[in-house]
Amino acid sequence: MSQFDINNRWYVASVSYSDDKTPGRTFKLNDYTLLDDIIDEIHYRLPYRDKRKVVKLEYRSPSVDNKGDIVYNNFELKNRENVSSMCRTYLEFEEEISLELVATVQRTVKQTLKMCKCPLDY
């Protein structure tokens, strides 16, 4: 192995949306994927590429409780270091868990007001 070889592992992540109406999606990411690229990919996978924006992204982070059971806590992804931490955690548990993300999406105020306007000939 040369000094320039990079261990580039790919993961399949499943994302669910906080509104519970949008169907979940899956996509691939690796250890070097930037948070902005993950958010762009999640936004791209919204149905019909609607005008909602990802305003919060969380990872269901596993840990082991006192009884030896796996429990999950939501951990917000805010930067590149959080993504690296998510990948390291996944590697520790990879036989037991799937990589799960929860995206909070919403429309901008301008888009919401545009949807609320009544037609003039009403």
Side-chain angles (χ1 to χ4, degrees):
M1 183 183 278
S2 80
Q3 65 183 8
F4 299 107
D5 289 338
I6 296 175
N7 183 10
N8 194 9
R9 294 182 58 119
W10 287 91
Y11 311 101
V12 175
S14 70
V15 62
S16 58
Y17 296 91
S18 59
D19 64 4
D20 290 331
K21 296 176 187 172
T22 306
R25 302 281 194 245
T26 59
F27 63 97
K28 289 175 34 175
L29 60 97
N30 66 27
D31 295 332
Y32 305 101
T33 305
L34 300 173
L35 180 59
D36 289 341
D37 293 340
I38 294 171
I39 290 172
D40 287 346
E41 185 68 26
I42 290 170
H43 182 259
Y44 176 78
R45 293 179 182 280
L46 283 167
Y48 312 111
R49 296 194 188 107
D50 64 16
K51 302 294 184 200
R52 293 180 293 170
K53 288 179 59 176
V54 175
V55 294
K56 185 177 182 181
L57 184 59
E58 296 178 313
Y59 163 59
R60 293 193 64 229
S61 181
S63 60
V64 179
D65 67 8
N66 295 343
K67 299 176 187 173
D69 296 328
I70 295 177
V71 294
Y72 294 91
N73 297 302
N74 285 357
F75 178 72
E76 187 171 0
L77 298 175
K78 295 180 180 180
N79 54 41
R80 176 70 190 109
E81 290 79 25
N82 295 152
V83 175
S84 295
S85 176
M86 173 185 70
C87 291
R88 282 191 306 273
T89 302
Y90 177 76
L91 283 175
E92 292 175 23
F93 288 90
E94 79 178 303
E95 305 258 338
E96 304 285 330
I97 66 162
S98 61
L99 188 55
E100 297 180 38
L101 302 171
V102 178
T104 302
V105 292
Q106 67 184 28
R107 298 182 196 286
T108 64
V109 172
K110 183 177 179 180
Q111 292 162 340
T112 303
L113 290 173
K114 188 175 181 180
M115 290 173 43
C116 294
K117 289 183 180 177
C118 293
L120 293 175
D121 59 342
Y122 179 68

